[in-house]
């Protein structure tokens, strides 16, 4: 399979768009997919990454536009270049003029005695867990990690690292039956959890359809923050909460923190303050593992039993109640994408962007917006859910083709002053009639009080 073929994908064959519109309760004619526009998304891959990206962003824009009081029924079609830039935003991020390194030295593919594993060590505590699991000293180099892993089977490596809370998975082949079973479930679940009175969208306008909506953001990394960034872009008041003991990677917040307030709060130690925030929230977005949420009493059913007005949105790496840790790169490796998008079939590959994360984020934002509209019409508490693995199953079931050379294009960026640093990020790809075309600046991480 050559990387420069001009063989086009056939996006009209996947049926993704009509299914998503149906899951969100949007009219079938709300959005159409022009094949030429989808094929023009410069995200070259053997898999239909361009269609997945274009459709995810298009559906988010359609849902937001429908929430507007001035909806004219003609959503703006996503610009293919902006779509690609949004999905590869980390590559264009600049902090004081300097590019960032998206993956830390201990994140990547490694040979084992019987194959390959993929690790993730961007956060310091995950890198430490990886070294501990492999019985290496603090500060062990990538060469030392590689040397140890070559003596272990892939399963031995996974077991050793995960036993200490690290992230390491074998690079597996596709599992068609598992993927088909996942595709039989909604890509974005929107379901009613309980009853409450209808609650109108407070101040919908074309520019800010979600103005007056309050969102508690308990997410990290990419997918959840992309979802809440999209809600903030649509006018929602988003308050991100992080535990004081887990500092965020600064560039990740610069890349996805636009328009949000950001505060530090130990939920377990200061439950009274958290419950007061929750009482005034319309939406809570959960990105932590299900077992941790249950320990805190933040599982969806517990939340809506105490706060029947809530829209509860949950995002995870894996479907169901699987509590395993995971990131986009880990899911790609575990479900067969790394081999499906390999250049030569000998070395595992990766998608041209962290497309599972970004797609899950935009789809979650679309589902939350749809749930808010349903709450306004019929009342009730609502549950919105997707997972990176569910998105992966969708991508693996879409039509495939040879990667095409990505044409050069001008990347549209905007610049902010954030905490004394000059930050350059890409422009938003989600657009709707009458809506904004530029992000609001990120706030310094953890700089705000935990209050509305």
């Amino acid at each position: 399979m050559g990387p420069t073929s001009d063989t086009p994908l056939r996006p009209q064959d996947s049926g993704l768009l009509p299914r998503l519109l149906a899951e969100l309760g949007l009219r079938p004619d709300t959005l159409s997919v022009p094949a030429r526009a989808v094929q023009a998304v410069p995200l070259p891959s053997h898999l239909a990454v361009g269609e997945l990206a274009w459709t995810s962003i298009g559906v988010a824009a359609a849902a937001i536009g429908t929430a507007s009081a001035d909806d004219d029924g003609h959503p703006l079609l996503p610009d293919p270049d902006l779509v690609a830039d949004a999905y590869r935003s980390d590559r264009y991020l600049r902090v004081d003029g300097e590019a960032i390194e998206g993956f830390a030295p201990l994140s990547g593919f490694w040979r084992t005695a019987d194959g390959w594993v993929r690790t993730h060590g961007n956060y310091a505590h995950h890198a430490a867990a990886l070294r501990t699991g492999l019985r290496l000293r603090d500060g062990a180099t990538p060469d030392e990690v590689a040397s140890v892993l070559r003596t272990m089977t892939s399963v031995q490596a996974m077991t050793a690292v995960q036993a200490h809370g690290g992230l390491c998975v074998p690079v597996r082949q596709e599992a068609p039956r598992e993927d088909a079973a996942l595709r039989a479930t909604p890509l974005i679940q929107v379901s009613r959890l309980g009853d409450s009175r209808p609650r109108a969208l407070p101040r919908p306008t074309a520019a800010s359809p979600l103005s007056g909506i309050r969102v508690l953001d308990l997410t990290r990394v990419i997918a959840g923050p992309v979802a809440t960034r999209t809600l903030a872009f649509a006018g929602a008041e988003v308050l991100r909460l992080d535990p004081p003991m887990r500092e965020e990677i600064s560039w990740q917040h610069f890349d996805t923190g636009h328009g949000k307030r950001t505060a530090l709060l130990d939920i377990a130690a200061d439950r009274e303050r958290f419950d007061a925030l929750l009482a005034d929230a319309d939406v809570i977005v959960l990105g932590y593992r299900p077992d941790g949420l249950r320990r805190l009493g933040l599982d969806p059913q517990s939340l809506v039993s105490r706060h029947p007005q809530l829209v509860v949105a949950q995002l995870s790496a894996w479907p169901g109640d699987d509590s395993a840790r995971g990131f986009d790169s880990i899911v790609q490796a575990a479900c067969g994408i790394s081999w499906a998008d390999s250049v030569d079939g000998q070395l595992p590959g990766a998608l041209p962007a962290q497309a599972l994360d970004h797609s899950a984020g935009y789809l979650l934002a679309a589902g939350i917006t749809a749930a808010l509209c349903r709450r306004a019409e019929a009342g009730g508490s609502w549950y919105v859910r997707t997972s990176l693995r569910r998105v992966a199953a969708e991508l693996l079931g879409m039509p495939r083709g040879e990667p095409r050379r990505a044409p050069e294009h001008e990347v549209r960026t905007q610049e902010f002053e954030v905490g004394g640093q000059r930050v350059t990020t890409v422009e938003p790809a989600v657009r709707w009639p009458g809506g904004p075309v530029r992000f609001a600046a990120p706030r310094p991480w953890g700089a705000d009080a935990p209050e509305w």
Side-chain angles (χ1 to χ4, degrees):
M1 292 183 281
T4 60
S5 169
D6 288 326
T7 304
L9 296 173
R10 294 176 295 132
Q12 66 275 17
D13 291 350
S14 76
L16 174 60
L17 179 62
R19 283 188 289 111
L20 281 172
L21 294 176
E23 288 172 9
L24 295 172
L26 298 175
R27 299 191 317 268
D29 62 348
T30 299
L31 189 69
S32 60
V33 185
R36 185 173 299 177
V38 174
Q39 292 168 7
V41 176
L43 291 172
S45 169
H46 294 105
L47 302 177
V49 177
E51 181 190 355
L52 176 66
W54 192 97
T55 305
S56 299
I57 286 177
V59 165
I64 291 169
T66 299
S68 168
D70 301 317
D71 175 35
D72 63 3
H74 301 287
L76 299 178
L77 298 181
D79 178 289
D81 289 343
L82 285 177
V83 169
D85 296 345
Y87 270 58
R88 304 175 85 166
S89 57
D90 58 316
R91 304 189 187 198
Y92 306 117
L93 180 70
R94 298 291 182 270
V95 181
D96 290 333
E98 297 293 326
I100 56 91
E101 181 58 52
F103 285 100
L106 298 190
S107 296
F109 294 109
W110 310 83
R111 282 193 182 274
T112 62
D114 64 348
W116 294 84
V117 292
R118 176 97 195 202
T119 62
H120 195 286
N122 282 17
Y123 284 104
H125 60 287
H126 288 150
L130 174 65
R131 289 189 293 262
T132 301
L134 299 179
R135 299 185 178 180
L136 290 168
R137 62 179 178 84
D138 289 345
T141 66
D143 285 344
E144 291 174 274
V145 171
S147 179
V148 170
L149 285 172
R150 279 195 294 267
T151 70
M152 307 173 74
T153 68
S154 299
V155 171
Q156 286 172 341
M158 175 184 69
T159 302
V161 172
Q162 290 188 358
H164 293 274
L167 290 112
C168 175
V169 295
V171 183
R172 295 194 169 103
Q173 297 290 338
E174 295 177 57
R177 285 194 206 172
E178 182 180 332
D179 290 332
L182 286 169
R183 288 194 296 272
T185 66
L187 179 53
I188 179 71
Q189 176 187 348
V190 182
S191 56
R192 188 177 180 123
L193 278 186
D195 295 326
S196 68
R197 294 178 181 176
R199 193 164 177 167
L201 293 174
R203 297 184 294 275
T205 66
S208 299
L210 300 184
S211 177
I213 292 295
R214 287 178 164 175
V215 179
L216 272 183
D217 178 4
L218 274 61
T219 70
R220 314 197 106 195
V221 193
I222 298 175
V226 164
T228 54
R229 180 187 67 186
T230 304
L231 299 177
F233 186 58
E237 180 184 357
V238 177
L239 175 60
R240 171 172 166 163
L241 297 177
D242 283 281
M245 66 292 295
R246 286 279 189 249
E247 186 170 357
E248 180 60 290
I249 299 169
S250 62
W251 71 261
Q252 288 186 165
H253 175 63
F254 291 152
D255 195 34
T256 58
H258 306 77
K260 311 174 194 177
R261 293 174 60 253
T262 160
L264 303 181
L265 183 68
D266 185 334
I267 294 173
D270 199 348
R271 191 53 184 262
E272 185 176 349
R273 176 174 288 191
F274 176 76
D275 285 343
L277 290 170
L278 196 55
D280 289 330
D282 296 280
V283 180
I284 184 169
V285 187
L286 306 171
Y288 297 111
R289 290 182 294 136
D291 58 347
L293 294 173
R294 282 192 293 271
R295 284 197 301 271
L296 290 169
L298 299 182
D299 56 286
Q301 202 62 59
S302 296
L303 284 168
V304 300
S305 68
R306 299 193 304 270
H307 304 282
Q309 84 285 357
L310 269 179
V311 171
V312 180
Q314 188 171 13
L315 176 78
S316 59
W318 312 102
D321 288 330
D322 193 322
S323 293
R325 295 171 174 85
F327 294 98
D328 184 302
S329 59
I330 293 292
V331 176
Q332 284 190 44
C335 72
I337 285 177
S338 295
W339 289 123
D341 219 23
S342 168
V343 173
D344 57 8
Q346 302 301 311
L347 299 175
L351 298 177
Q354 295 190 69
L356 309 182
D357 263 331
H358 286 277
S359 296
Y362 287 113
L363 293 173
L364 199 72
I368 291 168
T369 305
L372 287 167
C373 290
R374 294 186 193 184
R375 187 186 72 166
E377 295 169 359
S381 49
W382 292 85
Y383 181 54
V384 183
R385 174 79 186 267
T386 194
S387 69
L388 304 188
R389 180 65 182 92
R390 175 62 185 87
V391 175
E394 194 66 39
L395 181 60
L396 287 165
M398 295 168 73
R400 304 183 186 188
E402 297 290 330
R404 298 185 297 150
R405 190 186 304 277
E408 294 295 327
H409 68 277
E410 181 181 356
V411 178
R412 284 170 272 179
T413 61
Q414 55 184 126
E415 197 167 285
F416 309 99
E417 157 75 23
V418 186
Q421 293 180 289
R422 191 175 81 258
V423 177
T424 304
T425 66
V426 298
E427 289 187 1
V430 174
R431 304 282 177 89
W432 61 92
V437 296
R438 294 176 73 80
F439 285 123
R443 295 273 301 149
W445 181 79
D448 296 301
E451 59 190 30
W452 295 114

